Amino acid sequence: MAGAIADVAALAGVSKATASRALSGKGYVSPETRQRVVQAASTIGYVASPNAASLVTGHTKNVGVVIPYIGRWFFGQILEGIEQQLLARGYDMTLYTLEPFSPARDRVFDFFLARKRFDGVIAVNIQPAGDELERLHRLGIPLVGIGGPLEGIPTIAIDDERVAALATEHLIRLGHQRIAHIGGSLAEQLDFSVHGERLAGYRAALADAGLSEADQFVPTQLSMPGGYDAAVQLLSDPTNRPTAIFAASDEVAIGTIIAARRMGIAVPTDLSVIGIDGHDYAELFSLTTVEQHPREQGVIAADMILAGIDGETAEPGVRDLPTRLVMRSSTGRPAGA
Amino acid sequence: MAGAIADVAALAGVSKATASRALSGKGYVSPETRQRVVQAASTIGYVASPNAASLVTGHTKNVGVVIPYIGRWFFGQILEGIEQQLLARGYDMTLYTLEPFSPARDRVFDFFLARKRFDGVIAVNIQPAGDELERLHRLGIPLVGIGGPLEGIPTIAIDDERVAALATEHLIRLGHQRIAHIGGSLAEQLDFSVHGERLAGYRAALADAGLSEADQFVPTQLSMPGGYDAAVQLLSDPTNRPTAIFAASDEVAIGTIIAARRMGIAVPTDLSVIGIDGHDYAELFSLTTVEQHPREQGVIAADMILAGIDGETAEPGVRDLPTRLVMRSSTGRPAGA
DNA sequence: GTGAAAGCGCTAACAG
DNA sequence: CTGTTAGCGCTTTCAC
C-alpha cells in the first residue's frame, strides 16, 4: 500500500539499486538523481521496510532490553533514559520484563532473544542464572549491563558498598550511635549482590566507628510499604529504639518516615533517616539521600550499546558512576548531641 | 552461526519446505519426519529468523505501544499488563514514549510506526493532534486505545465523569458540604479530556446536592508533589478550609494527606480525602479510592489487539471498564456530623 | 554514476 | 505427505 522501493525507482525513472543508494546515502549518486528519487519517495509516501533491509544487512536497528520490573520508579527512570537515547538514533526498543524467578525466563532467553532480532541487548539488574550468561554471549551481539558485574560484559553501576558506607558515615558523623539498616532481603536478591553490598557498606562503616555491636538489620521489600512495615517493627519498642535509620532505597526511607510520624516519632528530631536513589519524591519528604541518577544510567547504557553496534569494542568490567549526597532535613543530630 | 532452516533440512534429510512445515506446525508432515526435523533443529540450535518470515507472511509478531510516560506508576502498570499478555502469545512489545508536546511526535508517527514493523498498535492516553489520527489509520493495522475516545478505534477506558461523581457523592453522603477538588490542569490535558471529565463529574455531584456554590477546584500536576503543593495552598487559610477533598488521582491524594498532616490537620478527623486509581500505596495511607486497575486494562488491550490481528474486527467505540469504590479510613464524617 | 542480477531466510503455492 | 519453485523488499557486488 505504502509502496515499495521499486515504485519509487519507477517514478523517478531509475533502477531499484540507484533508488536504494539515493535514499540510504550509501554509494555514489548524482545530486540531481538523488533529488528526483527523494522527491518520488516523498510523493509516494515511501517508508523502507526494515525487515527486508535487515535480511540483507544483518542489522535490525532494534535493541532488546531485559529488566526485572517496569512499574517501579527506579526501573522506569532507566527505561526512559534508554528509550530517549535509542529513539534519537533511530533505534527501536523492545522490552522484556524478566522477574527474578519467573518461569518465563527460559522463553525469553531461548526464543525471544535468540531470534537475531536485535543489534544489541541491555540487561538491567539481571543476575543471570545457570547458563543464562552463556546464552547471552552466544547471541554474538553487543551486550551492556546496568547494576552489577556481568562476566565479560561492560556494565555501568554505582559502588553500592561505598555508597552505603557514605550514608552510614553521614549518620555517624552527626553523632548517632544506634543506627539501624532497613534493606533488601538477602534471599531475594533479584538483581545482583546489591542488597548484600549495601549491608556490607553499612557494617563496614559501623565497624570503622567502633559501633559494631549496634548493628541492627531489618530485611524487607524495597518499596514504601516495605519500609513502613519494617519501621513499625523496628520502632515499636520505645526502650530500644535506634536514633537513625539508613534505608537501602528512598522508597523504603519514605515508608519509614511515614511510619515514624504515624507512631508519633518526629523526623528528624527523634529519628534521622537517610536513603539512596534520588527519588522524585525525596524532596517532598525532605529526605537526605545519595543520588544515583537511574535515568542517566539508561542514557549511558544506550550510548554504550550504540557504540558497540558501531564496532567500538568496550572493555568488559564495571564502570562505577559518581553519586552525590544530597542533604535535607531528614537527618539531624541525635537528641542531646 | 546459529544455522538457517536449510541446515536443519539438510541434517534431517528433508527439503526446506518440509522443515518449515514441521517446525511451524502448519501443513501436513508425518510424525516421524516432524520428529526428525525437530531433533535436527534442536541439535543445531536453530531459531527461526522472524525477519525473513515477516517478509513473506506480512506478520511481524510485534506490537507497537505508544505511551506518554513510562516512569509513572499508572502507565507502568498498563505496560506490565500489556507486556505480560503479549509475551505469553509470543509477541514482542516495542515501546515509544510520546510526551504531550514533544517534537519527537512526528518522527514516531512518520518513521517508527510507518515501517510495517508492527502487526498492531496500542495507543495509551494519546490524544492525537492534527492528522496523527489519520496517520494511525493509514497504517492499515489493528489499533486499540486506552484512556479515551479515539475516532474509529476501539478503546478501553473508565467513565471518568461517573467515577468522579461517585467519589464526590461518597463525600456528600458522609455529610460534607465543603468539598474541594484537586485535579489536573485543563490546559495540560496530556491524555484525553480526563481532567475535564473528572472536574465535570465533581461539579455534577455538587449540583445534584445543591452544593454548587461550594465548588472549589485547584489544578495541579498529577503527582504526589503536585497534590502536596495544591493542598498547602488549599488548606493554608484556617478560616476557609474544606472538610473534604476529592483528588483526581491517588498520588495527588497521598500528597494531599502528607501536606495536611504536616500542617497539623488530622486525616480523616479534620479532613476527608478520596482518590482515584487503586494505587499500590493507597493502602499504606488508608486511602479511600476508586480502583480502576490499569494493569488489567493493559491485559485487555493486548487481548483486543491480538484478536484484531487474528482477524476479529472489534467495534470502534469506548468500552468502559468497571470500577470499584474501596473504602478505607481516609474518608470520615465532617466534624460535628 | 547507474543498472542487472544475485540473494538474505523464510513460507506459500503447486505439483507430484 | 513431500519436494520444487517462486518471491517477500531490500542491499550489494559487479559490470557497464
Side-chain angles (χ1 to χ4, degrees):
Chain A
M1 182 150 305
I5 200 171
D7 303 333
V8 176
L11 184 59
V14 296
S15 71
K16 283 181 357 180
T18 304
S20 172
R21 279 188 288 252
L23 263 13
S24 70
K26 294 172 189 275
Y28 303 100
V29 183
S30 78
E32 308 90 65
T33 310
R34 154 162 298 130
Q35 170 58 22
R36 246 178 330 132
V37 172
V38 169
Q39 179 67 286
S42 100
T43 69
I44 224 176
Y46 170 76
V47 181
S49 156
N51 283 328
S54 300
L55 205 52
V56 38
T57 61
H59 299 316
T60 60
K61 288 274 186 179
N62 194 179
V63 169
V65 175
V66 185
I67 200 163
Y69 304 98
I70 303 180
R72 298 194 181 177
W73 177 83
F74 184 79
F75 297 111
Q77 291 295 304
I78 289 178
L79 286 178
E80 288 194 358
I82 295 175
E83 201 261 355
Q84 170 211 314
Q85 204 66 2
L86 252 25
L87 201 76
R89 292 277 304 265
Y91 278 72
D92 280 343
M93 177 180 84
T94 297
L95 200 56
Y96 302 103
T97 57
L98 210 57
E99 302 200 19
F101 305 102
S102 150
R105 284 185 86 103
D106 272 351
R107 273 191 85 217
V108 170
F109 280 97
D110 288 340
F111 176 66
F112 286 101
L113 290 181
R115 298 174 302 165
K116 318 172 199 355
R117 211 168 216 187
F118 304 117
D119 288 343
V121 169
I122 299 176
V124 184
N125 277 280
I126 296 303
Q127 170 85 294
D131 61 343
E132 287 175 357
L133 186 68
E134 192 197 325
R135 272 136 95 187
L136 278 180
H137 280 294
R138 247 199 311 248
L139 295 177
I141 52 177
L143 267 20
V144 166
I146 295 185
L150 244 23
E151 208 175 332
I153 299 177
T155 301
I156 75 167
I158 60 166
D159 183 338
D160 285 289
E161 187 164 341
R162 233 200 87 261
V163 162
L166 194 77
T168 310
E169 284 159 9
H170 178 69
L171 296 170
I172 293 171
R173 217 174 302 121
L174 290 170
H176 292 280
Q177 311 242 36
R178 311 199 41 206
I179 303 169
H181 173 45
I182 301 179
S185 149
L186 299 186
E188 289 174 17
Q189 299 252 27
L190 53 107
D191 21 47
F192 295 91
S193 31
V194 184
H195 301 176
E197 281 176 27
R198 293 191 182 170
L199 177 58
Y202 157 76
R203 287 187 169 149
L206 288 189
D208 276 0
L211 258 34
S212 278
E213 301 107 80
D215 178 335
Q216 195 172 10
F217 167 56
V218 181
T220 191
Q221 247 208 299
L222 292 197
S223 64
M224 280 193 210
Y228 185 95
D229 294 341
V232 166
Q233 181 186 331
L234 195 55
L235 302 173
S236 56
D237 177 8
T239 65
N240 196 29
R241 191 182 277 163
T243 62
I245 291 178
F246 158 48
S249 83
D250 284 351
E251 293 227 11
V252 169
I254 291 171
T256 298
I257 292 176
I258 292 167
R261 293 210 176 119
R262 196 166 294 182
M263 295 170 86
I265 300 167
V267 178
T269 321
D270 299 335
L271 180 75
S272 292
V273 179
I274 189 168
I276 293 180
D277 273 356
H279 194 290
D280 287 340
Y281 295 167
E283 204 179 335
L284 182 57
F285 289 88
S286 302
L287 180 64
T288 292
T289 185
V290 186
E291 284 185 345
Q292 64 158 318
H293 309 291
R295 190 193 176 92
E296 195 53 31
Q297 294 182 29
V299 170
I300 294 173
D303 279 343
M304 286 172 67
I305 206 83
L306 257 13
I309 292 168
D310 290 346
E312 297 169 32
T313 44
E315 313 260 312
V318 179
R319 170 172 161 199
D320 280 323
L321 256 38
T323 54
R324 191 169 67 102
L325 182 68
V326 179
M327 280 178 275
R328 298 199 186 85
S329 63
S330 54
T331 61
R333 309 197 160 275
Chain B
M1 180 152 303
I5 201 172
D7 304 333
V8 176
L11 184 58
V14 296
S15 70
K16 281 179 5 180
T18 303
S20 171
R21 280 187 289 251
L23 293 167
S24 70
K26 295 171 188 277
Y28 303 100
V29 183
S30 78
E32 307 91 65
T33 310
R34 153 162 299 131
Q35 171 57 23
R36 243 176 334 129
V37 173
V38 169
Q39 179 68 279
S42 99
T43 71
I44 224 175
Y46 170 76
V47 181
S49 157
N51 283 329
S54 300
L55 205 51
V56 39
T57 62
H59 299 315
T60 59
K61 287 274 186 180
N62 196 177
V63 169
V65 175
V66 185
I67 200 163
Y69 304 99
I70 303 180
R72 297 195 182 178
W73 178 84
F74 184 79
F75 298 111
Q77 291 295 306
I78 289 178
L79 286 178
E80 288 196 358
I82 294 176
E83 201 262 355
Q84 170 212 314
Q85 204 66 1
L86 252 26
L87 202 75
R89 292 277 304 265
Y91 277 72
D92 280 342
M93 176 181 84
T94 298
L95 201 55
Y96 302 103
T97 57
L98 210 57
E99 301 199 20
F101 306 101
S102 152
R105 284 185 85 105
D106 272 352
R107 273 191 86 218
V108 171
F109 281 97
D110 288 340
F111 176 66
F112 286 101
L113 291 181
R115 298 175 302 167
K116 317 171 201 354
R117 210 168 215 187
F118 303 117
D119 288 343
V121 169
I122 298 176
V124 184
N125 279 64
I126 297 302
Q127 170 85 294
D131 61 343
E132 287 175 356
L133 187 68
E134 192 196 326
R135 272 136 94 186
L136 278 180
H137 280 295
R138 246 198 313 246
L139 296 176
I141 54 178
L143 266 20
V144 166
I146 295 184
L150 242 27
E151 208 175 333
I153 298 177
T155 301
I156 76 167
I158 60 166
D159 183 338
D160 285 290
E161 187 165 342
R162 234 200 86 260
V163 163
L166 195 76
T168 310
E169 284 160 9
H170 179 69
L171 296 170
I172 293 170
R173 218 173 301 120
L174 290 170
H176 291 281
Q177 312 243 33
R178 311 202 39 207
I179 304 169
H181 173 46
I182 301 180
S185 149
L186 299 187
E188 288 175 17
Q189 300 249 29
L190 54 107
D191 21 48
F192 294 91
S193 30
V194 183
H195 301 176
E197 282 176 26
R198 292 190 182 171
L199 178 57
Y202 158 76
R203 287 187 169 150
L206 287 189
D208 277 0
L211 257 36
S212 280
E213 301 107 82
D215 179 336
Q216 195 172 8
F217 167 56
V218 181
T220 190
Q221 247 207 299
L222 291 196
S223 64
M224 280 193 210
Y228 186 96
D229 294 343
V232 166
Q233 180 187 331
L234 195 55
L235 302 172
S236 56
D237 177 8
T239 65
N240 196 29
R241 189 183 278 164
T243 62
I245 291 178
F246 158 48
S249 83
D250 283 351
E251 293 226 9
V252 169
I254 292 172
T256 298
I257 292 175
I258 292 167
R261 292 210 176 120
R262 197 166 293 181
M263 297 170 85
I265 301 168
V267 178
T269 322
D270 297 337
L271 181 74
S272 294
V273 179
I274 189 167
I276 294 180
D277 271 357
H279 194 288
D280 286 341
Y281 295 168
E283 204 179 335
L284 181 57
F285 289 89
S286 302
L287 180 63
T288 293
T289 185
V290 187
E291 284 186 345
Q292 64 159 317
H293 308 291
R295 191 194 175 92
E296 194 56 31
Q297 293 181 28
V299 170
I300 294 172
D303 280 343
M304 286 172 67
I305 206 84
L306 256 15
I309 292 169
D310 289 346
E312 297 168 33
T313 43
E315 313 260 311
V318 179
R319 169 172 161 198
D320 280 323
L321 255 38
T323 53
R324 191 169 68 101
L325 182 68
V326 179
M327 282 179 271
R328 298 200 187 84
S329 63
S330 54
T331 60
R333 309 197 161 275

